[in-house]
Amino acid sequence: MANQFLEIPESFWSLFRSRNRQIYIDALLQVNEEYQYSNYYLSREICIQTLSDYFTRQKVTLEQEETEDDFDLLEPLSTRILNWLLRTGWLRKVEDYGAMAVNIVIPDYAAVFVDAFAHLAGEEEDETQVYIQNVYAILFAFKNDPRSNISLLKTALINTRRLNKTLQDMLHNMDKFFGSLLEQQVYGDLLREHLDGYVEEIVKKKYHILKTSDNFYLYKTDIKRWLGEMRQNLPWLETVCQRNRQLRGLDIQVEELVKQLDLIERGFDDIEHRIINMDREHTRYIRATVTRLNYLLNREDNMKGLVIRLLNHLSRTDGQKEQELETERVAGLMNLSQMTVISEKSLYKRRRPRADFMDGLAQEEESEELSGEEILKLNKIKNRYSRKQIEAFILERMKDGRLEVTGDTAATEEDFEKLVLAYDDAARKDSPYRVTEQETEMIDNGQYRYPGLIFEKKRNRR
């Protein structure tokens, strides 16, 4: 390969800097396809006709290159492309004086890059299937063919390593599918990305071949059995070494053959580990896709979806100070101190009010079910104050362990809410006080109306 580097002209690399590089790459792939179809023999006329047919369907626009003059711009599109590829060394002219014709060939160094372009375009046969079948066929020949030699083992080892590399590349490229999950904001787009991208490229072309059709495991059992038999058959190994000395003049020792067999078997163990990792990544991706689809489908109604939207809103705020100010503003509108507020289990269950609070509400005993907005409001009020704050509201107003509720007890909205919550808290066994009901008229201080209650400190409490 080092000698081929010396053959590459400097202009060859201009393709990768050109604004028309994708057009040139497509042209090379078309020429290469026709090149193989015509038994690696293309005339200039056939080459121009092939490019003309292809780019007529594509409707492309070719920008002027620095090496092109005004006369080049007058040429048809296919001729301009062919001339540029010939000028830069991607294609080469070979003149056949006997047939009075000019043939177009692909140089050896350019063929390496054209094969890479075809591989990136996904036009080749799946490599995982080719490599495993190659290893199977080579080891079968090495074991049964009397003319076999150590070069077959080396070829099998190369194919095993290539298969390992292919699987590792598949595994490393899984992250792009995870990234596309977050890029899609619409349910239909994500579903289309999953079906057209992941299912078509990974499941059907690669993962399906490795697992569903059991291609690897179909050959693995025989290969591992052969490796074990050959490694333990010392007379046969000695025969192989003698055969290499007589026919090829190679001084091969049994230890070297065993080492090659061990490397191949270790490579197959690595393949199994990589397939297990692919199983794990495949499961993770499917689970993440289902979660993302469910989120996109229900994010307006799902509590977790609303929280994610809130966090995304805060993350889009630039600057630490601005984020803190925005967080404070949001905190003033929402209570984020307790997980029960944002949990699906935080549901308000309506219950009948106590008798002392029903004196002035006799007409509303059979009230309608609360609306969703009213439920959220009640949940917000209940979780606005901690139990310690509610108990302090009563205990600080007690004299000699007793508090008689008067018109001044609930002077503000906060006091009224704490009074209601304190009455509810008094029903608990671990409450530091209890309520003694007082049969008097309802207290009306002009702002709020509530029954006259007496809170007494429990004796077992300090």
Side-chain angles (χ1 to χ4, degrees):
M1 188 63 186
N3 294 332
Q4 288 186 347
F5 267 118
L6 299 177
E7 299 176 10
I8 300 177
E10 183 65 27
S11 59
F12 178 85
W13 308 106
S14 61
L15 178 142
F16 300 100
R17 300 188 297 268
S18 172
R19 290 173 293 182
N20 302 315
R21 59 178 172 272
Q22 189 58 51
I23 298 176
Y24 296 143
I25 290 174
D26 292 341
L28 287 169
L29 292 176
Q30 294 302 312
V31 171
N32 184 57
E33 182 179 350
E34 188 68 25
Y35 191 61
Q36 299 176 32
Y37 177 77
S38 302
N39 198 21
Y40 305 97
Y41 184 87
L42 272 183
S43 66
R44 179 182 175 87
E45 291 73 18
I46 293 177
C47 193
I48 291 176
Q49 185 63 43
T50 300
L51 296 179
S52 178
D53 294 342
Y54 176 75
F55 287 107
T56 299
R57 299 190 301 268
Q58 296 297 319
K59 303 292 183 182
V60 298
T61 302
L62 190 67
E63 298 187 29
Q64 183 177 2
E65 299 286 351
E66 296 180 357
T67 58
E68 290 184 319
D69 53 26
D70 294 338
F71 292 102
D72 293 322
L73 300 180
L74 298 177
E75 295 284 354
L77 177 65
S78 57
T79 305
R80 280 182 61 191
I81 294 174
L82 180 61
N83 290 339
W84 191 90
L85 293 175
L86 289 168
R87 191 183 307 122
T88 56
W90 281 88
L91 300 176
R92 184 161 55 89
K93 291 191 297 184
V94 176
E95 297 181 354
D96 186 353
Y97 295 102
M100 300 297 292
V102 177
N103 299 323
I104 304 297
V105 300
I106 302 177
D108 292 340
Y109 58 84
V112 176
F113 289 88
V114 174
D115 289 341
F117 295 152
H119 178 74
L120 291 174
E123 297 179 358
E124 293 186 344
E125 184 180 357
D126 184 80
E127 294 180 347
T128 57
Q129 185 175 9
V130 174
Y131 292 147
I132 189 65
Q133 291 177 351
N134 286 348
V135 175
Y136 180 86
I138 290 170
L139 290 179
F140 181 83
F142 180 77
K143 185 175 184 298
N144 298 284
D145 192 344
R147 296 169 297 178
S148 62
N149 54 72
I150 193 172
S151 62
L152 288 177
L153 281 185
K154 293 181 179 179
T155 304
L157 180 59
I158 291 174
N159 279 273
T160 303
R161 289 173 174 172
R162 286 180 177 176
L163 179 56
N164 260 302
K165 179 63 167 55
T166 301
L167 295 177
Q168 192 64 35
D169 291 341
M170 291 166 56
L171 185 62
H172 287 169
N173 289 327
M174 285 288 290
D175 58 344
K176 69 178 183 180
F177 294 101
F178 284 98
S180 65
L181 290 179
L182 299 178
E183 294 176 0
Q184 305 299 330
Q185 301 297 327
V186 181
Y187 180 88
D189 294 342
L190 177 57
L191 189 60
R192 188 180 304 108
E193 175 74 16
H194 171 70
L195 296 177
D196 296 342
Y198 184 78
V199 174
E200 290 294 330
E201 296 298 324
I202 297 297
V203 176
K204 290 186 177 180
K205 292 184 179 180
K206 300 183 182 298
Y207 189 83
H208 176 82
I209 293 174
L210 289 173
K211 295 296 296 180
T212 309
S213 62
D214 288 332
N215 189 11
F216 171 76
Y217 294 99
L218 181 66
Y219 297 105
K220 184 206 75 169
T221 303
D222 290 339
I223 290 176
K224 284 215 163 188
R225 188 182 72 254
W226 295 343
L227 291 173
E229 292 174 353
M230 288 187 289
R231 187 169 49 242
Q232 296 173 6
N233 193 346
L234 293 179
W236 179 81
L237 292 174
E238 289 286 354
T239 303
V240 174
C241 292
Q242 293 177 4
R243 189 187 308 150
N244 278 270
R245 296 190 195 100
Q246 295 173 357
L247 300 179
R248 308 181 67 87
L250 300 176
D251 187 13
I252 304 299
Q253 303 298 322
V254 173
E255 292 76 10
E256 188 172 353
L257 291 176
V258 173
K259 181 180 178 181
Q260 292 290 324
L261 294 173
D262 289 341
L263 290 175
I264 295 174
E265 186 170 16
R266 187 182 307 168
F268 269 78
D269 292 337
D270 293 338
I271 291 173
E272 287 193 85
H273 294 156
R274 284 180 169 85
I275 291 179
I276 292 174
N277 291 334
M278 286 191 63
D279 284 341
R280 187 180 299 112
E281 291 298 312
H282 174 71
T283 303
R284 286 183 58 232
Y285 174 79
I286 295 300
R287 187 182 297 115
T289 301
V290 173
T291 302
R292 182 67 177 173
L293 289 171
N294 183 66
Y295 164 70
L296 293 177
L297 190 63
N298 303 299
R299 59 182 170 182
E300 298 296 337
D301 302 324
N302 184 274
M303 184 64 70
K304 291 182 180 180
L306 296 176
V307 173
I308 292 175
R309 290 183 61 191
L310 172 61
L311 296 177
N312 289 337
H313 169 72
L314 295 176
S315 65
R316 286 192 293 267
T317 306
D318 298 328
Q320 183 177 358
K321 185 176 181 180
E322 288 74 9
Q323 285 185 353
E324 292 177 355
L325 294 176
E326 184 65 15
T327 302
E328 292 179 0
R329 188 183 72 84
V330 173
L333 302 175
M334 298 181 64
N335 182 11
L336 304 179
S337 61
Q338 295 189 24
M339 288 298 295
T340 55
V341 179
I342 58 176
S343 170
E344 294 180 352
K345 297 180 181 179
S346 179
L347 301 176
Y348 177 80
K349 186 176 181 180
R350 180 177 176 270
R351 60 183 180 181
R352 296 173 65 86
R354 296 183 182 275
D356 47 9
F357 274 96
M358 294 177 58
D359 293 342
L361 303 174
Q363 301 298 326
E364 300 181 8
E365 181 175 356
E366 299 297 332
S367 59
E368 297 180 356
E369 291 290 335
L370 296 178
S371 64
E373 183 178 354
E374 291 171 333
I375 292 175
L376 292 177
K377 183 176 179 181
L378 289 174
N379 268 330
K380 184 176 179 181
I381 292 173
K382 184 174 181 180
N383 291 277
R384 183 180 298 171
Y385 312 105
S386 66
R387 190 177 180 189
K388 186 176 180 181
Q389 290 176 308
I390 297 170
E391 292 175 354
F393 173 77
I394 299 297
L395 296 176
E396 290 174 358
R397 288 167 171 74
M398 283 186 174
K399 293 182 180 179
D400 299 329
R402 181 183 175 90
L403 170 63
E404 295 184 8
V405 176
T406 63
D408 298 331
T409 304
T412 64
E413 181 180 0
E414 180 179 347
D415 293 341
F416 179 73
E417 292 174 354
K418 288 182 179 180
L419 177 61
V420 175
L421 295 174
Y423 178 83
D424 185 68
D425 183 68
R428 298 186 178 185
K429 292 182 179 181
D430 59 346
S431 176
Y433 45 76
R434 64 174 179 269
V435 173
T436 302
E437 301 178 0
Q438 183 179 4
E439 297 181 1
T440 60
E441 295 182 358
M442 298 291 291
I443 298 176
D444 190 347
N445 62 4
Q447 290 182 317
Y448 305 101
R449 193 165 180 266
Y450 47 89
L453 302 174
I454 298 177
F455 290 84
E456 292 184 351
K457 195 171 185 180
K458 293 182 179 179
R459 293 181 180 179
N460 58 343
R461 298 275 181 169
R462 293 184 179 180

